[in-house]
């Protein structure tokens, strides 16, 4: 019994159905079609981006507060994750990363590098709750490889079995952890924006590379599931849009065609799960409302929560399942940092091509910049870091309100800026890594409910010293890249702003080895209810400076493998191999 059918649910549904299990997936959203909803004539910025038709804001609105002493208020920006078959993998950007070896052992890495140095005093003062993952990169590398073959991920390898940048000396990420083999195919070509960013990075002695991308670039390529999809046409409608020809890898385009033909699989749409029924420490059924509002009960033996982090946590808590008080704790999401520039002598064509035409640098991610950071004063020192990358997909109706603070938002001067500068604009991606803290959490809001009477998910999240210091440092490094590339007008905020949702929202049911410090074991199995598994980002103990989608797919394959191969005991979550 799977709740949701998005990125987290796709692999586990496929693998269990292939193993002969009877699988029912309940998806709240509709089944949108590539041929109709996402056809070329339906690429409507107002419909998908501005009005966010794929987003179920009425039922999944969030409330937000920065500390537990405050009263939460509805988050005005709303909820940014799709309610549709395939989930947010349908409208994501396609930037697809593996986490690094050290991303799975952040606590150990910090102890090894810094010991009990006074430089880490700010972490203790802010209540950092950093734990290693109970799994290692070496264990999950085969599952990352499986994602790349089944979903379709393209790129230049940076480390095959210890050989750094083994294909092209000027491409591939030299900081990536070892992969067992090359990508299935190459990423998209770069556009002018990416090449200008690359010039700036090279001028500073950095090692830029094209990020790995979940776009099919070779129409003759066939996935490990026997699915062949059309190659990308560089149409520019990517982030926020369904892909009209299915070249963007998603649960909808890459996994559902292989799953829906299996006799044991059933997908029901328009089904909104409101409660998990349980007795004597085991789940027995879920209660859901169909598209007509009629309530049903679906029984099962094994339950996989495959919705987004907020919904998984909310469903558990609303069902009276708090995992010894661990469900909802250690929430992780990005703090917002922005950096923009105008290049008066360059035409950048920022809306030319897909959103994953992106060059980036990793010198400041993780602990790669350790020596540079150690030279900082104690009150500026921070741990971990960020990916810095060029942007793409700047469609006009998505970019009209991006301008320097001294330019008005209407009138003749505003129009002069648009006509003279908008095609010379670049805004960098600064993907800073948050840490888990004792007071950053998700719970049920006692004052706000949805149409079915379920309490809304309340986010308690504040920006800590480490994130503020990191944001300042990374912003300065990004500014240096822009200046080296020739930017003349640069603006933005070097600070970090707390948000309710950053679309990289993880934690809330983290995996671990200690039931008093985690909600799930190494196979995403609830400690307190062994026939319930949590798929997706909610189980992450930490998050890297990378997009998490490929790791979410990897964890789903990892979870499915544990069930199929009998590595877990469905009556005892402490008994596993």
């Amino acid at each position: 019994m799977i709740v949701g059918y998005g990125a987290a649910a796709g692999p586990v549904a496929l693998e269990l159905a292939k193993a002969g299990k009877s699988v029912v997936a309940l998806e709240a959203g509709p089944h949108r079609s590539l041929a109709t909803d996402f056809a070329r004539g339906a690429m409507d910025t107002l419909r998908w981006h501005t009005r966010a038709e794929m987003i179920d804001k009425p039922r999944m609105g969030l409330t937000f507060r920065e500390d537990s002493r405050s009263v939460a208020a509805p988050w005005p920006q709303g909820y940014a994750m799709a309610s549709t078959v395939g989930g947010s993998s349908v409208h994501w950007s396609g930037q697809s990363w593996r986490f690094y070896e050290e991303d799975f052992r952040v606590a150990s890495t910090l102890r090894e590098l810094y010991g009990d140095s006074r430089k880490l005093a700010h972490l203790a003062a802010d209540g950092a709750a950093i734990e290693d993952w109970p799994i290692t990169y070496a264990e999950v590398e085969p599952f990352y490889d499986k994602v790349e073959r089944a979903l379709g991920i393209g790129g230049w390898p940076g480390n095959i079995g210890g050989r750094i940048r083994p294909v092209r000396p000027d491409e591939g990420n030299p900081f990536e952890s070892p992969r067992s083999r090359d990508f299935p195919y190459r990423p998209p070509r770069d556009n002018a924006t990416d090449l200008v960013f690359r010039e700036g990075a090279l001028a500073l002695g950095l090692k830029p590379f094209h990020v790995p991308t979940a776009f099919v670039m070779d129409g003759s390529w066939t996935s490990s599931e026997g699915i062949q999809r059309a190659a990308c046409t560089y149409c520019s409608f990517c982030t926020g849009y369904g892909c009209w020809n299915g070249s963007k890898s998603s649960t909808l385009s890459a996994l559902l065609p292989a799953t829906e033909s299996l006799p044991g699989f059933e997908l029901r749409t328009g089904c909104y799960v409101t409660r998990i029924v349980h007795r004597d420490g085991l789940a027995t059924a879920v209660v859901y409302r169909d598209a007509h509002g009629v309530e049903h009960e679906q029984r099962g033996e094994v339950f996989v929560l495959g919705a987004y982090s907020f919904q998984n946590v909310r469903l558990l808590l609303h069902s009276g399942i708090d995992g010894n008080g661990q469900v909802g704790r250690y929430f992780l999401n990005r703090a917002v940092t922005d950096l923009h520039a105008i290049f008066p002598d360059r035409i950048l064509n920022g809306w030319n091509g897909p959103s994953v035409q992106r060059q980036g640098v990793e010198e400041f991610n993780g602990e790669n910049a350790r020596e540079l950071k150690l030279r900082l004063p104690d009150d500026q020192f921070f741990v971990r870091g960020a990916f810095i990358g060029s942007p793409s997909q700047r469609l006009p109706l998505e970019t009209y309100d991006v301008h320097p603070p001294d330019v008005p938002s209407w009138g003749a001067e505003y129009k002069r800026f648009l006509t003279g500068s908008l095609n010379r604009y670049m805004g960098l991606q600064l993907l800073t890594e948050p840490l888990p803290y004792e007071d950053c959490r998700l719970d049920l809001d006692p004052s706000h409910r949805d149409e079915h009477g379920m309490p809304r998910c309340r986010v308690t999240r504040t920006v800590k010293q480490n994130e503020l210091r990191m944001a300042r440092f990374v912003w300065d490094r990004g500014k240096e890249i822009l200046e080296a590339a020739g930017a003349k007008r640069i603006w933005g905020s070097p600070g970090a702003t707390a948000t309710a949702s950053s679309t990289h929202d993880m934690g809330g049911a983290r995996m671990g080895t200690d039931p008093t410090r985690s909600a799930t074991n190494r196979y995403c199995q609830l400690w307190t209810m062994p026939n319930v598994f949590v798929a997706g980002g909610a189980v992450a103990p930490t998050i890297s400076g990378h997009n998490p989608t490929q790791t979410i797919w990897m964890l789903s394959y990892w979870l499915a493998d544990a069930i199929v191969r009998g590595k877990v005991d469905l009556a005892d979550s402490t008994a596993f191999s």
Side-chain angles (χ1 to χ4, degrees):
M1 175 60 250
I2 301 178
V3 177
Y5 189 77
V12 70
L14 173 60
E15 294 298 295
L16 294 182
K18 283 167 62 176
K21 309 296 184 185
S22 174
V23 179
V24 172
L26 300 177
E27 167 57 46
H31 190 164
R32 295 182 171 93
S33 164
L34 272 62
T36 54
D37 299 275
F38 306 134
R40 280 175 290 183
M43 292 296 96
D44 183 338
T45 303
L46 286 175
R47 177 184 179 189
W48 300 115
H49 181 269
T50 307
R51 296 171 184 150
E53 189 173 303
M54 266 189 276
I55 313 301
D56 190 359
K57 291 183 178 180
R59 285 192 291 197
M60 199 52 225
L62 303 170
T63 64
F64 177 72
R65 60 183 183 175
E66 292 202 26
D67 60 73
S68 59
R69 299 181 299 275
S70 304
V71 176
W75 179 243
Q77 280 87 340
Y79 178 67
M81 308 311 286
S83 179
T84 189
V85 170
S88 295
S89 69
V90 173
H91 74 105
W92 71 314
S93 71
Q95 191 177 164
S96 190
W97 298 86
R98 297 180 176 200
F99 284 5
Y100 294 159
E101 286 181 280
E102 71 173 38
D103 293 334
F104 291 95
R105 52 188 310 274
V106 172
S108 295
T109 298
L110 297 183
R111 283 194 299 269
E112 292 162 5
L113 294 179
Y114 306 112
D116 57 357
S117 168
R118 67 181 184 278
K119 286 184 175 292
L120 302 183
H122 67 289
L123 298 181
D126 281 343
I130 308 169
E131 301 277 354
D132 289 345
W133 292 58
I135 56 180
T136 66
Y137 176 82
E139 288 180 296
V140 301
E141 195 281 333
F143 296 92
Y144 273 130
D145 183 77
K146 190 167 186 174
V147 171
E148 291 168 0
R149 265 68 199 168
L151 275 297
I153 312 296
W156 289 98
N159 184 339
I160 297 181
R163 285 195 304 127
I164 306 301
R165 286 188 163 181
V167 177
R168 267 179 45 173
D170 63 336
E171 276 288 6
N173 175 9
F175 296 98
E176 79 168 344
S177 295
R179 57 176 52 253
S180 56
R181 52 179 168 167
D182 198 350
F183 287 96
Y185 47 81
R186 298 295 169 232
R189 63 180 181 267
D190 295 303
N191 67 5
T193 304
D194 308 316
L195 295 176
V196 170
F197 173 91
R198 183 179 178 86
E199 289 175 17
L202 289 172
L204 296 176
L206 304 176
K207 297 180 175 65
F209 59 92
H210 199 296
V211 304
T213 58
F215 275 68
V216 172
M217 302 309 302
D218 178 359
S220 65
W221 178 77
T222 301
S223 78
S224 59
E225 297 299 335
I227 307 300
Q228 187 172 0
R229 311 199 317 269
C232 175
T233 62
Y234 293 81
C235 77
S236 300
F237 290 89
C238 301
T239 305
Y241 304 86
C243 182
W244 69 272
N245 67 342
S247 60
K248 181 168 64 174
S249 300
S250 68
T251 293
L252 175 66
S253 65
L255 297 182
L256 183 59
T259 310
E260 60 187 354
S261 61
L262 297 173
F265 176 73
E266 180 186 354
L267 173 62
R268 302 177 196 165
T269 60
C271 297
Y272 191 79
V273 178
T274 58
R275 191 170 71 255
I276 301 169
V277 181
H278 52 95
R279 184 175 61 252
D280 301 326
L282 293 174
T284 59
V286 294
V287 175
Y288 70 93
R289 293 182 183 272
D290 65 20
H292 304 289
V294 178
E295 190 170 89
H296 304 267
E297 185 173 286
Q298 174 63 51
R299 300 183 64 82
E301 295 179 6
V302 177
F303 296 81
V304 178
L305 306 188
Y308 195 59
S309 298
F310 296 124
Q311 186 71 326
N312 285 338
V313 169
R314 183 170 75 137
L315 181 59
L316 287 168
L317 294 176
H318 185 56
S319 304
I321 305 168
D322 71 351
N324 291 328
Q326 294 302 302
V327 173
R329 301 194 67 182
Y330 314 119
F331 173 63
L332 296 151
N333 75 343
R334 314 278 184 199
V336 175
T337 301
D338 62 306
L339 177 57
H340 313 271
I342 299 296
F343 290 76
D345 302 322
R346 305 292 291 266
I347 298 295
L348 299 182
N349 288 331
W351 45 78
N352 183 310
S355 55
V356 286
Q357 285 178 294
R358 191 186 300 274
Q359 287 273 328
V361 295
E362 287 283 86
E363 276 81 356
F364 311 109
N365 204 356
E367 294 301 325
N368 294 335
R370 176 173 176 263
E371 296 301 324
L372 182 58
K373 293 190 296 183
L374 283 171
R375 295 198 290 270
L376 296 171
D378 287 356
D379 62 354
Q380 295 178 28
F381 177 81
F382 63 95
V383 299
R384 310 305 289 158
F387 165 78
I388 302 177
S390 64
S392 286
Q393 192 189 310
R394 295 291 177 180
L395 296 171
L397 288 181
E398 299 174 10
T399 321
Y400 73 92
D401 57 350
V402 178
H403 52 79
D406 60 336
V407 173
S409 58
W410 63 282
E413 188 177 348
Y414 167 69
K415 292 177 182 178
R416 280 194 294 271
F417 171 79
L418 288 185
T419 56
S421 299
L422 195 57
N423 208 18
R424 304 173 188 272
Y425 161 81
M426 181 190 297
L428 296 191
Q429 182 184 41
L430 307 175
L431 213 56
T432 55
E433 177 180 343
L435 296 176
Y437 295 94
E438 295 289 352
D439 61 353
C440 292
R441 64 179 304 143
L442 307 175
D443 64 1
L444 302 179
D445 194 306
S447 304
H448 299 271
R449 294 179 177 269
D450 68 11
E451 65 188 70
H452 297 307
M454 285 185 69
R456 295 197 182 281
C457 187
R458 179 171 62 181
V459 180
T460 304
R461 165 84 165 94
T462 186
V463 178
K464 308 293 187 178
Q465 296 177 76
N466 198 73
E467 294 162 287
L468 291 170
R469 298 174 184 183
M470 180 191 302
R472 171 81 258 185
F473 177 89
V474 172
W475 196 91
D476 288 343
R477 304 293 79 75
K479 182 172 181 284
E480 291 169 356
I481 294 173
L482 291 172
E483 290 172 338
K488 301 301 182 185
R489 192 175 191 182
I490 298 175
W491 74 97
S493 170
T497 304
T499 64
S501 173
S502 66
T503 70
H504 294 173
D505 308 298
M506 304 177 78
R510 77 173 178 184
M511 57 164 61
T513 58
D514 181 355
T516 68
R517 298 283 296 171
S518 58
T520 57
N521 66 18
R522 72 194 310 261
Y523 294 117
C524 313
Q525 183 182 22
L526 278 179
W527 289 113
T528 59
M529 196 162 291
N531 68 335
V532 176
F533 295 78
V534 181
V539 303
T542 55
I543 179 176
S544 80
H546 290 144
N547 300 55
T549 305
Q550 187 172 340
T551 294
I552 288 170
W553 273 320
M554 175 275 289
L555 287 169
S556 186
Y557 277 115
W558 167 261
L559 183 165
D561 180 75
I563 296 174
V564 171
R565 297 178 61 186
K567 295 180 179 180
V568 291
D569 186 333
L570 297 177
D572 182 1
S573 57
T574 64
F576 53 80
S577 60

